[in-house]
Amino acid sequence: MSGTDDTIEDVDALRQALNEARSEVEAVRQEMTDVVTRQETLQRSHEEALTRMREESNREVIVSALRAEAIRNGAHNPDDVVRLIDLKGIERGEDGSVVGVSEALQQARQERAYLFGEVLRPGYSSGTTVGQAAPRPGGVEPFNARAVSEADYETRKWQFLAQK
């Protein structure tokens, strides 16, 4: 009878161990579910923040492009022109370029011509405003060792020797 008692005790111990293992598995499953839920919530909030930041940056780039083009088109107050333009037809492409700026400004110029003056061309003067011509790149001036100071000569000499 002692063998049967040992078997019953072993079976009871195994049942108890099985119940403990089941409760551990259930706890781990619940923890995994909580972690997955938390991860999905964080991912969703990060995606929303990223979308919001993209929209804000796209809007700022579009407004900057409109302002620059309004200045080129001779707007008296470019900020007012930008505020009055409908931004729905203007988009920023995947490559970063802004599409629809010139069309929107042409429409604004037709509808509200009082906001614009004459288009200022480079090298052209109008009243007190002078449009400066675009600067041209200069050439490299030759180095005259006889006309420079001793310090400049030594500096250039060491720069020349360091290249070889």
Side-chain angles (χ1 to χ4, degrees), residues 68-161:
E69 192 66 25
I71 290 170
R72 279 190 220 105
N73 282 325
H76 296 298
N77 190 345
D79 294 325
D80 287 345
V81 172
V82 171
R83 279 188 222 119
L84 293 173
I85 288 178
D86 185 21
L87 300 178
K88 290 181 183 172
I90 304 168
E91 296 177 353
R92 185 173 179 202
E94 290 294 323
D95 61 346
S97 63
V98 182
V99 180
V101 172
S102 59
E103 293 84 8
L105 279 171
Q106 289 302 327
Q107 183 179 359
R109 192 175 186 101
Q110 289 175 357
E111 292 174 357
R112 297 179 178 95
Y114 60 90
L115 292 173
F116 295 90
E118 242 182 83
V119 177
L120 192 60
R121 295 183 307 253
Y124 173 77
S125 65
S126 146
T128 59
T129 306
V130 176
Q132 299 294 328
R136 294 193 177 121
V140 177
E141 294 182 15
F143 181 69
N144 185 356
R146 295 181 185 150
V148 296
S149 68
E150 184 68 27
D152 287 339
Y153 175 76
E154 288 295 321
T155 303
R156 291 295 287 268
K157 180 174 83 173
W158 285 109
Q159 287 173 348
F160 176 74
L161 292 174

